[in-house]
Each structure stands twice: as structure tokens, then as C-alpha cells.
Amino acid sequence: MIVMKFGGTSVEDATAIERVAEIVRSRAAEDPVVVVSALAGVTDQLLAAGQAAASGDRDRALERAQVLRQRHLCTASELLPSAPFGKVKPALESSFDLLQELLTGVATLRELSPRSTDCLLSFGELVSSDIVSAALAARGLAGERVDARECLITDASHTKAAPLFDETRARLEARVRPLVERHSIPVMGGFIGATLDGIPTTIGRGGSDYSASIVGAAMEAERIEIWTDVPGMMTTDPNLCSEARLIQEISFEEAAELASFGAKVLHPATLLPAIEKNIPVYVLNSRDPAGAGTCIRAHVPRNHYPVRAIAAKRNSTIVNVAGERGEIPRGFLREVLAVFDRHECQVDIVASSQVRISLAVESGSVAPELLADLERLAEVSCEPRQAIVSVVGENLRGRQGIAASVFGSVAAAGVNVRMISQGASEITINFVIQEEDVPAAVRRLHSDLFADAKAEEDWRWLPSGVRLPQPAPATDTDESNEVNAHGPEI
Ligand code: ASP
Ligand code: MG
């Protein structure tokens, strides 16, 4: 059994949903469980309707609901012949009637609590799963709509509810497993669930990936496919560097490092339940279903390139904190970090010496109050418009010469490095440069680190004159080593 999750853009209209049906057909023999997002933009539009209602603008809220009703009915009627459309139409109409009642209530009370927000947002995934299951069924696939609120059970922390795994597993076994066993194709909404008492909840924006991961882990799926609108994860931002390539395989740890340092990729934290069970997760493009996509999993064989990917996070500021009397007293670092913590400012990189601490943080999170608090402790200066470049890969671990090579490339690009850190995990080298230097640094790094190395020339990316011993051959006997044998795997 596999889980296939389709994001908002993959189900945005009738054409997109037709593609989904064909993709599901291509996997029908593998017993897919389908998880769908709301149609693209719908969650935001529901929220906007709710906010209009809460501000007392009942008409505007209802107008928005009406637009959504039309869009869903049109999509369904485009997708379905008249008999099946006749069947799904009443379900859609009654969902939108309920939505309008809810908005009227919100407008009367002028109050949109987290609990009402969840009820409101749940409509997006409820109706998208109605439509997608009917579309599958109309194409001879045994699509069957499952109400996610009966399966994904959570606590009551509305808008960011935490799943109750044992209960969820039991519900999935009772409700979804029998469908899979008789080769039906269950279709459920992502992102939404309910408390034990049946009150609708949501598990955080973008939560459908998390739903897919929870369902996959609970039902011990063979793999999880996240269908989206990009080819997969790339070796660097293709907007920065036209040579960026698709990453075919990446470890969970690498993907997590990349996501936290600015790569706009699937956030692997949401995949944790699946990764813990060692279930591979694929990121695939619903507009190019034959594309290879990216596989994220716990362990990935080493590749022939020194790194897996390069990410750049702009909009950073370096905050310099200098101790008085030219020295940092004991406990000073702790006090400084406590200030950042108190102001909920996440510190990305810290570098410290006897006399000075430098911290790289997101520019938007440096509040004047934070700086005022710091100034009570020490002398403070800020350098805005910086960027953190991260070079990530399991190959960095324990290999000599990589740092020399990375900084050799940056120097060759004529770029000055302001701060450096290599994470405790040893799979990331982070450094800070001026924002305007990002394109030059990233392009040069990419062309040096992803030079088309053949295995025997593995290390030719080192700066000239530096030669290191060949690395021991990878010991992984993983089947995906075969992939490497056919060409440069990245
Ligand atoms: N529809 C939800 C959102 O837009 C969840 C998702 O698509 O993953 O946040
Ligand atoms: Mg999404």
C-alpha cells in the first residue's frame, strides 16, 4: 500500500484533477490511499471570508463563500458526467450551506475563535476530497471518500492540533484498511482532523504533507508520494543558478538542514513520522508525472559529488555584541542568548571569541526592543543585508579538504566571508556573506562542487595544487547504488 498526496496546485481545477486521476491509475495496482489538499488558494479564501465575517461584514463573507461554491460546482461539473455529478452535487451544496451558516454565525458574534477557524478551514479539504473521489470513480477507479475527521484524531489545540497517534492508527485500521483490502481507493482530505469528541481541528498550515506522513506511518505504507508543482528538490535555487539540477536522492538529515537554511522545499519535519518508520518519501511533479522526482529517506548512499546541495538564506543581519572592558565575562553568552530567546528571535549562527559574540539572525526578527535589551548588557552593532549560504551533504562528514575547497571557491568568486560555522552534525558548512554577493558565490560554488566528476576524478574540485587521498569506496549495498552505476547521481 502506498500514500499519494496531492497539493493544492495539483488539484486546482478540472484539468489538474484529470491529471491526478491518471497518476492514480498508474499506481492503482499498488493500493494507493489518496490524501488531497484543498483546491489552490481555497484555504486562504476561507480564512479571508472568516475574517470578513468576524469584522461584521456578513455580505462580503457570504459573497466569498458563494464564489467558492461556484468554483467547486464548476470544477465538479466539468469533471463528471451528469449522473455522477448529480450524486456529488448535493454533498457539495450542503457543505456550502453549512459554510454560509457558519459565516453568518461568525458575523453575528463578530468572533472567530481558533475552534471556529478550524471548522471553517475544514471545508476546503472536505469538498476537494468529495470531488477527487467522484472524479476517480467516474474514470473507473474505485475512489471512495473517507472523512478525515473520522480518522485523524488530534488533541484540541485548534489551528495547530497535535495528532494522537494510537487513536489515529486504530481509526485508520478500522476505516481505511478494509477499503484498501478490497482494492478501493480511499480519498481523504489532508490538514484536517477532529478531537476525540468529533470537533474539527487542523494540524497547521501546509499540513497535508504531515497528514500524508501520519497516514503512511500509521498504515506502514511502502512509500509516500508528495505530488506538487515542482520537479523535486534541486541542488540549488534554479533562479540563482541555471545549472541547478534535480536531486534524485537526499537523506532526511540533509533535507532538514536545507529547509532550515532557506531552501524552499518540502519541510521535512512534517515527514518525521514516516522517516521514523523508514518509509521513503518522494517529491514528484504532477505536471510531469514521468519525471524522476526526489526521494527523501533516512539513509542514502554517498554520491560522487562532495555535497548534496547549496542553499542561500537572504535577509539576515549580523548582530555583534562586544563585552565591556574588552572581555566577555562568564555566563555572558547565556545572557545574550536569553535576550534573543525572550524576544522570540531565532539565532541561526553564533560565533564567539573572548571579546565579541556575533549572531546571524533573520533581519525581520531584530526588534528595537531586543536591541535595547542587549545594549543593557554590552555594546551592540548590526550589519544588515547579509545572507547565510549553506553547503550541505553527508559527504562533508569526516572528509578532509572540503572546507578548503568551499572557501577556495568563494574566494575565487571574489566574495568576502563574514562568519563561518560548521554544524555539530558535520553535514553542513554555513557562512555569512553580503546579500549582494549571493549570486556570484552560489554560482561559483555550484560549478566547482558539481563539476561533472567521474568516480576516478572524484576530488578534482579541490583548489589547484591540493590533492587528497581517494575516499574509501562507499560500503552501502543499498539497491540504489545501481542508480549511481548508470551515471552521475546527484
Ligand atoms: N490547505 C491547507 C493550506 O493551504 C493545507 C495544505 O494544503 O497542505 O495550508
Ligand atoms: Mg501545501
Side-chain angles (χ1 to χ4, degrees), residues 113-359:
S113 65
R115 177 168 158 166
S116 330
T117 304
D118 278 353
C119 184
L120 175 76
L121 297 188
S122 68
F123 284 99
E125 270 72 8
L126 290 175
V127 290
S128 72
S129 52
D130 273 331
I131 296 176
V132 172
S133 56
L136 295 184
R139 283 159 182 76
L141 294 158
E144 226 170 294
R145 198 256 208 179
V146 171
D147 188 336
R149 296 169 301 181
E150 291 169 11
C151 301
L152 207 152
I153 306 305
T154 71
D155 68 9
S157 5
H158 286 284
T159 71
K160 46 177 187 325
L164 306 177
F165 288 100
D166 291 338
E167 186 62 29
T168 299
R169 186 175 308 116
R171 300 281 187 106
L172 287 165
E173 285 304 319
R175 180 78 184 86
V176 178
R177 182 75 70 190
L179 298 180
V180 173
E181 272 165 6
R182 60 168 197 263
H183 306 298
S184 285
I185 301 179
V187 179
M188 57 193 274
F191 174 56
I192 62 174
T195 62
L196 278 167
D197 310 331
I199 310 296
T201 53
T202 62
I203 56 175
R205 289 305 303 272
S208 297
D209 296 334
Y210 193 24
S211 297
S213 168
I214 294 165
V215 173
M219 298 187 69
E220 314 219 324
E222 275 154 55
R223 67 173 187 279
I224 296 172
E225 297 181 345
I226 305 286
W227 289 89
T228 175
D229 56 4
V230 293
M233 294 173 68
M234 308 289 285
T235 51
T236 195
D237 180 351
N239 296 321
L240 267 182
C241 171
S242 56
E243 283 166 23
R245 320 170 185 187
L246 183 71
I247 300 174
Q248 288 183 350
E249 288 189 298
I250 186 165
S251 75
F252 173 69
E253 227 187 308
E254 289 169 331
E257 292 279 333
L258 281 173
S260 53
F261 284 104
K264 283 178 211 71
V265 295
L266 179 70
H267 206 293
T270 62
L271 306 181
L272 209 46
I275 302 291
E276 275 174 353
K277 291 230 163 156
N278 213 1
I279 300 171
V281 178
Y282 291 80
V283 182
L284 296 156
N285 186 355
S286 64
R287 290 178 189 156
D288 176 23
T294 298
C295 174
I296 307 172
R297 53 175 157 178
H299 302 288
V300 168
R302 287 189 166 185
N303 56 5
H304 294 312
Y305 295 105
V307 303
R308 191 80 68 187
I310 303 162
K313 182 174 177 178
R314 293 161 197 259
N315 276 323
S316 290
T317 291
I318 299 179
V319 181
N320 295 304
V321 185
E324 279 167 22
R325 294 190 304 276
E327 202 183 324
I328 293 182
R330 259 178 86 172
F332 185 70
L333 181 58
R334 191 188 55 224
E335 280 181 57
V336 168
L337 288 176
V339 173
F340 283 86
D341 194 42
R342 210 161 48 240
H343 291 275
E344 292 181 10
C345 173
Q346 201 199 311
V347 176
D348 288 327
I349 299 182
V350 188
S352 74
S353 71
Q354 284 277 9
V355 293
R356 209 166 136 102
I357 303 172
S358 296
L359 307 101

Side-chain angles (χ1 to χ4, degrees), residues 456-472:
E456 57 284 5
E457 291 177 73
D458 214 355
W459 303 99
R460 73 165 192 199
W461 42 270
L462 277 169
S464 62
V466 182
R467 280 276 163 258
L468 289 171
Q470 285 286 306

